[in-house]
Amino acid sequence: MVLVDKKFFEERNKKRNYLHFDKKRSPSFVYEYVINPSNIVKHSFYPFIFYNLVDNKIKRVAKYYNNKLKFHPLSKPPLIIHHHLYPFISYTLTNKANIEGYKYVLNSPKVRGISYASHLDSDIYAYYSRLLETPYEKFLVDNNLEDCSLAYRKVERVIDGKLVSKCNIHFSKDVFDIIRTKKDCIVLCYDVENFFDRFDHQILKKNWCDLLQNTQLPPDHYKVYKSLTRFASVDKEELYKELGLSLNSKTLHKRYEVLCSSKDFRDRIRGKRLINVNKSGKGIPQGSPISGLLSNVYMIEFDKEVNSYLAQLGGKYFRYSDDMIFIIDKEQEQQAISFIKCAIQKIKLNINNKKTQRVEFKDGFINHDINNRSFNNPDKLQYLGLLFDGKQVFLRETGQTRYRRKLRKAVRMRTAHYRRLKEKDNLNSPNMYMRTLHTRFTYIGQRNYVSYAFRASRIHESKNIKRQVKGHYNLFNDYLNKKK
């Protein structure tokens, strides 16, 4: 059992600057409260606050494979006769956007429901997440799954004589290195549909009991389990509208200690029936400190069965949250697919066929039918934000597009703010404040997209990745000069 101390809650307090139905408590109070199981049994959990996180995905549709295709004169007919013509792309262009002279189309947005707990409730979930970590890690070691379940846990390994906490870049390199070694294989990429929303409560409860080696959950664990399965939530937009608060304000937590008083909560939130209770028998809130670990707990039997089965076939299995990747020999493909689909049905989850990908490698390179290209049958393996063709590693184009879009938005907002201050003659300095922009969008920052790209280039030993972000600083300055 992992015990936490007051420093654990002190660190948590520093990172949480949001308003909720309760106020922050001192780390000493929280520590004394959460480590006592009798307090948890009697504890009344506040509703989660729920909102939708929308990610608009943008794709370039005017570009396809090779934009350097040249037509030769008829004096050289063999070059035309033997040329393999690329297929046309048929699409309906909606929500058009012109970026850098290319045509882009906004895909259907990816919507994720995020729920965040009150301060004390969040501390309770964080503590019980720590309590479950030790038995879960023991389960992974006992079943040779330490390198299979990758998300929501700290994976430390010795690399080049140094202890390294592995991240997505290392996980993707492990997969690409296995493919390089096997040379001839099939790679299947599966995505689970509505992952957190589909968890069957009885399966989750059974796995939780198995980890604790009990036939039933202890009373305090059961109280936490019940608060996460039959959870209550309040829509953030409706809540802020009722309380007359701005959704866009970034200073509310500095002006108020709580969202509302206990009386207002009873009369205006509960009294006006803004609270929704999950009675479906499935699903847990995504966003609590324990949700990630519980997603791994839910998958323990699936991970165990599939990894053991593929090991017998000489294959490999990795899972990062709801993204699963299977590396198998072509001869066992159909056999493995049948087993995987059967195993996923046992835990009452569904595969999202729209996001399923199949990639065949032959002699270390992708064996791709150019006339049958689609998302499900791509010309490069896509895994954890990187692309791999059997030899080279690249950044995904969608990641670069998102970086440029955020850069432009940040520069527009910064320059507009600067102009407003200048018009009011309220400037402290004649120069625009640039540190935040440089830190977020250039090589000067330590934790941004560019630093991620350089780190990926170093770990994967890929010059291509460096080339993809080589002109980022010129792009930054060019757009800044246009807007000044």
Side-chain angles (χ1 to χ4, degrees):
M1 179 179 292
V2 176
L3 297 177
V4 299
D5 54 17
K6 294 178 185 178
K7 289 183 179 180
F8 173 76
F9 297 108
E10 286 175 2
E11 291 299 319
R12 284 184 52 76
N13 252 343
K14 292 177 184 177
K15 298 174 183 177
R16 299 203 316 276
N17 292 316
Y18 61 84
L19 274 180
H20 217 288
F21 298 120
D22 66 340
K23 62 181 181 181
K24 283 185 181 181
R25 305 295 188 99
S26 67
S28 57
F29 171 84
V30 173
Y31 174 74
E32 296 295 336
Y33 186 87
V34 302
I35 65 172
N36 188 342
S38 61
N39 288 334
I40 308 305
V41 173
K42 295 181 292 184
H43 182 75
S44 296
F45 288 86
Y46 274 112
F48 288 85
I49 296 178
F50 171 85
Y51 68 95
N52 283 321
L53 185 64
V54 181
D55 181 18
N56 287 314
K57 293 192 173 182
I58 292 180
K59 272 190 179 179
R60 185 186 295 175
V61 294
K63 179 182 177 183
Y64 195 75
Y65 284 106
N66 187 359
N67 58 2
K68 297 180 181 178
L69 180 63
K70 295 181 179 178
F71 292 93
H72 295 273
L74 290 177
S75 59
K76 299 180 180 180
L79 293 175
I80 302 233
I81 294 171
H82 296 292
H83 178 72
H84 294 284
L85 293 175
Y86 290 114
F88 287 93
I89 302 177
S90 175
Y91 63 91
T92 302
L93 191 61
T94 57
N95 298 328
K96 287 189 284 187
N98 289 315
I99 303 174
E100 295 183 355
Y102 294 100
K103 283 188 177 180
Y104 285 77
V105 59
L106 284 171
N107 282 0
S108 55
K110 181 179 180 180
V111 180
R112 285 187 298 166
I114 303 296
S115 303
Y116 57 99
S118 66
H119 295 292
L120 186 55
D121 294 353
S122 181
D123 287 323
I124 292 172
Y125 293 139
Y127 175 70
Y128 277 82
S129 177
R130 282 296 184 95
L131 293 184
L132 288 175
E133 276 182 13
T134 298
Y136 178 69
E137 292 294 331
K138 183 178 184 303
F139 169 84
L140 295 181
V141 172
D142 292 344
N143 293 278
N144 297 318
L145 293 168
E146 312 101 287
D147 296 322
C148 296
S149 176
L150 305 174
Y152 313 120
R153 48 186 293 260
K154 192 171 185 178
V155 182
E156 292 185 329
R157 298 290 183 271
V158 176
I159 301 176
D160 296 331
K162 296 180 180 179
L163 184 64
V164 176
S165 182
K166 297 178 75 172
C167 64
N168 290 7
I169 302 171
H170 298 98
F171 299 146
S172 60
K173 186 176 188 304
D174 292 342
V175 170
F176 299 161
D177 286 346
I178 291 170
I179 295 171
R180 288 188 181 104
T181 302
K182 289 182 76 70
K183 293 187 178 180
D184 298 333
C185 61
I186 300 293
V187 180
L188 302 173
C189 301
Y190 286 176
D191 181 89
V192 180
E193 191 174 36
N194 300 325
F195 190 48
F196 286 87
D197 297 333
R198 295 291 179 88
F199 291 166
D200 182 85
H201 293 167
Q202 295 307 311
I203 294 176
L204 176 61
K205 185 180 178 182
K206 178 186 176 300
N207 292 351
W208 197 328
C209 290
D210 290 345
L211 280 185
L212 298 178
Q213 298 182 346
N214 290 333
T215 55
Q216 61 182 13
L217 292 176
D220 56 323
H221 282 259
Y222 180 75
K223 188 64 181 283
V224 174
Y225 159 81
K226 190 176 178 181
S227 73
L228 289 160
T229 51
R230 195 176 171 85
F231 63 93
S233 62
V234 180
D235 183 85
K236 187 174 182 178
E237 287 190 19
E238 293 180 2
L239 173 65
Y240 275 50
K241 184 178 179 181
E242 173 62 31
L243 298 176
L245 299 174
S246 171
L247 282 167
N248 300 318
S249 175
K250 296 182 179 180
T251 61
L252 284 178
H253 67 280
K254 296 179 181 178
R255 290 183 278 149
Y256 303 102
E257 284 190 332
V258 294
L259 278 172
C260 61
S261 65
S262 299
K263 185 178 185 305
D264 283 341
F265 179 79
R266 290 192 299 269
D267 297 342
R268 301 175 66 181
I269 311 303
R270 182 178 292 156
K272 294 188 178 182
R273 298 183 179 181
L274 298 183
I275 300 175
N276 302 305
V277 180
N278 179 37
K279 299 179 181 179
S280 63
K282 59 184 180 181
I284 64 171
Q286 183 177 358
S288 78
I290 199 174
S291 298
L293 178 63
L294 289 184
S295 70
N296 285 337
V297 171
Y298 189 85
M299 298 293 289
I300 58 176
E301 289 302 322
F302 176 87
D303 291 343
K304 181 180 176 181
E305 287 184 19
V306 171
N307 185 63
S308 175
Y309 178 79
L310 290 187
Q312 294 174 12
L313 301 180
K316 282 286 186 180
Y317 159 65
F318 301 93
R319 180 179 62 81
Y320 191 94
S321 189
D322 59 344
D323 293 324
M324 299 179 288
I325 189 165
F326 311 90
I327 305 171
I328 51 179
D329 294 332
K330 189 173 183 179
E331 297 76 23
Q332 283 118 12
E333 180 181 359
Q334 295 305 317
Q335 181 184 350
I337 289 175
S338 298
F339 185 89
I340 293 165
K341 289 184 175 180
C342 181
I344 204 73
Q345 287 174 0
K346 284 183 185 178
I347 55 174
K348 301 183 180 180
L349 295 177
N350 297 320
I351 298 295
N352 187 346
N353 292 323
K354 292 180 180 179
K355 293 186 178 181
T356 297
Q357 292 190 328
R358 176 191 181 275
V359 183
E360 180 179 352
F361 288 86
K362 190 171 183 180
D363 296 326
F365 293 92
I366 285 185
N367 185 25
H368 177 69
D369 181 5
I370 200 169
N371 296 312
N372 192 30
R373 184 182 185 273
S374 66
F375 178 85
N376 303 101
N377 183 36
D379 59 348
K380 292 184 181 70
L381 172 63
Q382 175 182 305
Y383 186 59
L384 297 182
L386 296 172
L387 300 174
F388 180 60
D389 64 2
K391 184 178 180 181
Q392 304 289 342
V393 181
F394 307 86
L395 294 172
R396 286 179 62 192
E397 192 176 75
T398 52
Q400 297 175 73
T401 304
R402 189 181 296 112
Y403 161 76
R404 290 192 290 267
R405 190 170 75 245
K406 288 182 177 180
L407 166 63
R408 282 161 171 73
K409 182 179 178 181
V411 170
R412 284 197 305 270
M413 292 178 68
R414 174 62 66 188
T415 52
H417 179 66
Y418 174 77
R419 284 194 294 269
R420 284 195 300 269
L421 293 177
K422 192 174 182 180
E423 288 171 2
K424 296 178 181 179
D425 197 22
N426 199 20
L427 287 173
N428 295 325
S429 169
N431 297 321
M432 187 164 59
Y433 185 69
M434 296 290 296
R435 180 182 295 176
T436 302
L437 289 177
H438 278 99
T439 303
R440 286 183 61 192
F441 298 106
T442 73
Y443 67 92
I444 296 172
Q446 298 298 314
R447 295 178 65 85
N448 58 31
Y449 181 76
V450 177
S451 66
Y452 160 79
F454 287 155
R455 192 161 60 251
S457 174
R458 185 182 71 253
I459 294 172
H460 281 276
E461 299 177 359
S462 171
K463 293 182 179 178
N464 294 307
I465 295 177
K466 267 192 177 179
R467 292 192 192 104
Q468 287 178 283
V469 294
K470 185 178 180 180
H472 80 277
Y473 201 70
N474 291 334
L475 176 71
F476 175 86
N477 286 320
D478 289 346
Y479 193 71
L480 188 62
N481 292 331
K482 288 179 184 177
K483 289 296 178 180
K484 275 187 176 179

